[in-house]
Amino acid sequence: MWQALTNAGARPLGFDAFETLRIETGQPRYTIDMDETNVVSETNLDDAISYTKGCYIGQEIVARIKYRGHVAKKLTGLLFERGVSVQGGAIIRSLDEKEIGRITSVTLSPHLGRTIALGYVRYDYLAAGTTLKVAAADTEFSATVTELPFVRGE
């Protein structure tokens, strides 16, 4: 299989490149971007669940969120103006200094030439184009909420 793939032009992919591609496409990773404490509606995996299938654990709450309201926070994309040094776990703040979320995954996007991140942001700040602040060590960086995926296939 390996030989057939390489003969067809496939190239090996290291873990760092895989992580960059995963973040660029906005795909959450279990234990980093989500875990058993998250409701699927907080991630961007809504297409992975059925609202019409028979009974499954958590179906009532998932359906209630979809049809009656929204989640309090959601995994979204954050785009920085340039390459910056931010780590997972960094606090996200509104422009009026309210703590509104946390960064989960970060990478320097070679496609965009700047740092991008996935993070949970409170519902009131999820609109694309919203400017936020991310605290990293002794520095604060400006970030813009963006729709996922960051990079779309052509």
Side-chain angles (χ1 to χ4, degrees):
M1 178 65 121
W2 180 266
Q3 192 63 45
L5 288 170
T6 54
N7 287 345
R11 295 185 307 178
L13 177 70
F15 183 74
D16 290 341
F18 171 78
E19 278 294 285
T20 296
L21 291 170
R22 177 187 70 79
I23 296 167
E24 285 180 336
T25 60
Q27 292 300 306
R29 184 168 154 213
Y30 187 72
T31 71
I32 294 178
D33 302 300
M34 63 181 182
D35 59 25
E36 63 278 352
T37 65
N38 294 104
V39 177
V40 72
S41 302
E42 292 175 339
T43 67
N44 60 342
L45 297 175
D46 286 338
D47 293 342
I49 59 174
S50 172
Y51 294 98
T52 59
K53 182 180 176 182
C55 295
Y56 57 87
I57 296 173
Q59 180 183 18
E60 286 182 37
I61 190 68
V62 169
R64 198 174 306 149
I65 290 168
K66 177 172 176 67
Y67 296 112
R68 287 193 179 175
H70 56 78
V71 290
K73 64 183 180 190
K74 190 160 179 79
L75 188 69
T76 193
L78 296 170
L79 183 63
F80 294 85
E81 293 179 15
R82 54 187 164 76
V84 298
S85 181
V86 175
Q87 301 295 318
I91 295 170
I92 303 169
R93 288 194 166 82
S94 63
L95 295 180
D96 60 353
E97 298 298 327
K98 293 178 186 170
E99 187 173 323
I100 59 167
R102 293 207 183 268
I103 298 288
T104 57
S105 294
V106 182
T107 193
L108 179 61
S109 169
H111 289 101
L112 302 174
R114 48 183 150 170
T115 300
I116 60 174
L118 298 175
Y120 284 95
V121 174
R122 283 193 8 211
Y123 180 80
D124 294 339
Y125 301 90
L126 285 173
T130 302
T131 302
L132 306 173
K133 296 191 261 183
V134 176
D138 295 334
T139 310
E140 253 184 8
F141 298 104
S142 178
T144 304
V145 174
T146 188
E147 293 181 13
L148 295 173
F150 290 98
V151 177
R152 292 178 180 4
E154 306 205 13

